[in-house]
Amino acid sequence: MSVIREQTASRPPLSTRPPRRSTGSGPSRPPMARGRGIWPYVLIAPAVLGTLYLLVYPLVRAVVISLQDFGLRQLILGDARFVGFENYETLLSDGHFWEVVRRTFLFMASNVVLIMALSTLVALMIERLGRFGRTAVLSALVLTWAMPVIAATTVFQWLFHSEFGIVNAVLTGLGFESFDRYPWLAHGPAAFAILVTLIVWQSVPFAAITLYSALTTVPAELYESARLDGASGPRIFRSITLPIVRPIFMLVLSLEVIWTFKAFVQIWVMTNGGPGDATTILPVYAVQTALSSQRYDLGSAASLVTVALMSGLLVFYFRQMFRQEDELA
């Protein structure tokens, strides 16, 4: 006990003074922490500069050219003069241009309707297949999607070749003698239909796989409850599946509108906009005007009008979609 008393007595009394406050304006940060704030911007700078150079600069350059008198001479000598909106006035007053606009919307609507309908059916089919069937169908879709655009276009050219095409050979073998040496790509409606078929064939895999991934998020309990209540398949899809996958469905629809509206490679490789102007849509028209007529100013104006029409279409579509969501909420 005496030892405990001696140790207790030898302890210094606790200080009752408050801790001394720092005289600085705030807590000091180490040098590494102070210099760390700029590094994120340094790291993303190459990506930002690359995006500005590859995307923003061409757009700005196209706007400038569309406001100039810019032909082949100006391309070589560089003495283009500004003419204001004269190129847009020339373009919008041309009846042929509005015929191309009408054909572009028809081409886009035909493709989008077929792509979304077939993709939804394929996604629903994949959902109901077994493991082996699902793997086989998904593998086929991925291989189709991975096929290069030029290669697929070339294959379709040979399929519908007038002399060596498989389509003519099969139809002739079935007794349709009128399709012997039938020149598909020399007739406007036939060439238009072939291009729609090609783009739908190339676009369905992406849309179907994306929609199938969205269908896997729908709880199976909801389907079971609906079937117990006696709901039919279309009613289940309309009341349960579609409301849940609506965001992904709308995203895929928007992407397909953009991609089909600006389709160029397939048309340029297969028909070059022909026969006549039967397959000429706005992107093809812009390139034809710029290269064939050496009117780069009108070609740039047509490209910007294409961007404006596509943007206006998407804005109108999104407004309608958000309005419907607000009404449902």
Side-chain angles (χ1 to χ4, degrees), residues 8 10 31 39-40 42 103 112-113 129 142-143 173 193 210 226 250 270 275-276 314:
T8 305
S10 62
W39 276 109
V42 174
R103 189 181 303 114
V112 171
V113 170
L129 291 176
V142 170
L143 291 176
T210 306
M250 296 304 179
M270 184 172 289
L314 290 176

Side-chain angles (χ1 to χ4, degrees), residues 87-105 277 280-283 285-286 289 298-299 301-306 309:
N87 293 320
Y88 292 95
E89 294 176 359
T90 302
L91 194 68
L92 298 178
S93 61
D94 186 6
H96 176 60
F97 171 77
W98 290 110
E99 179 66 22
V100 173
V101 171
R102 184 195 66 80
R103 189 181 303 114
T104 303
F105 277 94
D277 291 326
T280 299
I281 63 174
L282 280 173
Y285 175 82
T289 304
L298 289 179
S303 300
L304 293 174
V305 170
T306 303
L309 289 174

